[in-house]
């Protein structure tokens, strides 16, 4: 029967390709949301060594598919990004940044990020209220509690990234 597991499958190549596709999707999404049509400078922040290695293997592919201007820089977790960058989260350890210096109106970017942060706030409030409910604590399975805690953490991190980006844009436009 088809499909079957094939001996020549390369799990590393498949994982790298999935990662590359997610990063390119994030880059294209950034270009679209910021209305950038010209080649632009991209940066990638990868906090996990495996993601940095996977990105390094496919850096030129990313640059071509994302229509990057020149080489793509990879930032470590503690490296500071340029102040005029829009960001898109690829996964929990990787973010794609688009350098918008001279390409985008900072006020419009701040409004978009504020809308993103405001959209996450009701989700965070709902999960916090759910977790604070004693009947939920008593009746919910542990797996559901863990899933909700993970969701809450993810939403809070996304909101914090958006608020941090807003602060950077406000600082850059001041």
């Amino acid at each position: 029967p088809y499909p079957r597991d094939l001996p020549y499958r390369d799990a590393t190549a498949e994982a790298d390709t999935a990662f590359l596709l997610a990063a390119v999707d994030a880059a294209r999404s950034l270009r679209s949301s910021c209305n950038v049509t010209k080649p632009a400078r991209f940066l990638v922040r990868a906090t996990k060594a495996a993601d940095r290695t996977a990105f390094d293997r496919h850096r030129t592919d990313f640059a071509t598919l994302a229509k990057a201007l020149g080489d793509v820089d990879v930032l470590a977790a503690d490296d500071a990004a340029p102040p005029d960058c829009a960001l898109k989260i690829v996964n929990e350890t990787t973010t794609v940044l688009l350098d918008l210096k001279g390409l985008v109106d900072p006020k419009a970017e701040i409004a978009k990020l504020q809308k993103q942060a405001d959209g996450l706030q009701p989700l965070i409030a709902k999960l916090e209220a759910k977790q604070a409910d004693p009947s939920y604590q008593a009746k919910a399975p542990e797996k559901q509690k863990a899933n909700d805690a993970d969701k809450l953490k993810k939403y809070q991190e996304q909101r914090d990234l958006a608020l941090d980006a807003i602060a950077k844009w406000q600082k850059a436009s001041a």
Side-chain angles (χ1 to χ4, degrees), residues 7 24-25 31 40 67-68 81 85 88 99-101 109 129-130 133 138 147-148 157-158 160 165 172-173:
V24 168
D25 183 53
R31 291 177 67 85
K67 296 183 184 172
C85 284
K88 182 81 170 175
D99 190 356
L100 297 172
K101 189 169 189 162
E109 188 65 22
K130 186 177 182 181
D133 185 13
N147 286 343
D148 287 344
E157 287 173 355
Q158 289 176 352
D160 293 345
S173 64

Side-chain angles (χ1 to χ4, degrees), residues 106-173:
K107 290 179 183 174
E109 188 65 22
I110 290 170
K112 183 182 67 119
L113 288 166
Q114 188 63 51
K115 183 178 177 183
Q116 182 181 7
D118 292 346
L120 289 168
Q121 196 56 45
L123 299 172
I124 292 169
K126 181 179 175 183
L127 282 172
E128 286 174 341
K130 186 177 182 181
Q131 290 179 338
D133 185 13
S135 65
Y136 169 79
Q137 291 298 329
K139 295 178 183 177
E142 290 302 317
K143 185 175 181 180
Q144 180 65 37
K145 291 179 190 176
N147 286 343
D148 287 344
D150 288 343
K151 272 189 205 176
L152 179 61
K153 183 180 176 187
K154 183 177 113 182
Y155 290 153
Q156 289 170 333
E157 287 173 355
Q158 289 176 352
R159 181 202 54 203
D160 293 345
L161 280 172
L163 294 175
D164 188 40
I166 289 170
K168 287 179 183 177
W169 274 107
Q170 289 172 336
K171 183 179 174 184
S173 64

Side-chain angles (χ1 to χ4, degrees), residues 1 8 12-13 18 32 35 38 44 50 57-58 60 69-70 73 78 84-85 87 118 133 139 141-142 151 153:
Y8 55 82
T12 303
S32 175
N35 295 321
K38 300 176 185 174
V44 174
R57 280 195 292 266
H58 300 288
T60 56
L69 181 64
D73 296 325
D78 55 346
D84 299 344
C85 284
L87 63 90
D118 292 346
D133 185 13
K139 295 178 183 177
E142 290 302 317
K151 272 189 205 176
K153 183 180 176 187

